[in-house]
Amino acid sequence: MTLTTDNRNVRTAITHSVRGHCPSCGEGKLFRAYLKQVEHCSSCNERLGHIRADDGPAWLTIMVVGHIVVTALVLALATWDAADWIFMTVFPALALAMILWFLPMAKGLFIGIIWATGAPGSETDAKPVQP
């Protein structure tokens, strides 16, 4: 089963955007800075700047990184007999590194889903709810 919405393949859009490329063509860059997306794709001129992922990427990053780091910390505490300062420096550093690595991919995931499903992406594009 292929998820498509108005000739937009959701799986392809997610694959492109998680890699930091335009969800439409997969050629242009999605971000012009660490987490700041471009207004338009440099290859296909697709409008991307209006799409707002809001808190979704932060939530997903916390859920994924938190589960991995806390599990690793509990296992390390149970099996290693190391000084406390090692645990108090290594695991926060590990968490920070994983957050910085994962957050752009999470934002790309949300932007890809929003773009592919045709969701409004911003308050100005939203249609009023009919009573």
Side-chain angles (χ1 to χ4, degrees), residues 71-130:
T71 302
L73 177 61
V74 169
L75 291 173
L77 286 170
T79 58
W80 294 342
D81 187 25
D84 289 343
W85 69 268
I86 294 175
F87 293 111
M88 293 186 331
T89 56
V90 169
F91 284 94
L94 174 66
L96 180 61
M98 289 180 68
I99 287 168
L100 292 174
W101 172 73
F102 189 75
L103 191 55
M105 290 189 287
K107 186 165 183 176
L109 171 76
F110 275 84
I111 290 172
I113 291 171
I114 291 168
W115 177 85
T117 58
S122 66
E123 290 85 20
T124 58
D125 292 342
K127 295 177 182 154
V129 176
Q130 297 295 326

Side-chain angles (χ1 to χ4, degrees), residues 37-55:
Q37 69 224 38
V38 297
E39 287 298 318
H40 297 279
C41 174
S42 59
S43 276
C44 68
N45 207 29
E46 180 70 29
R47 192 171 139 234
L48 300 170
H50 72 288
I51 299 175
R52 294 184 47 194
D54 291 333
D55 293 335

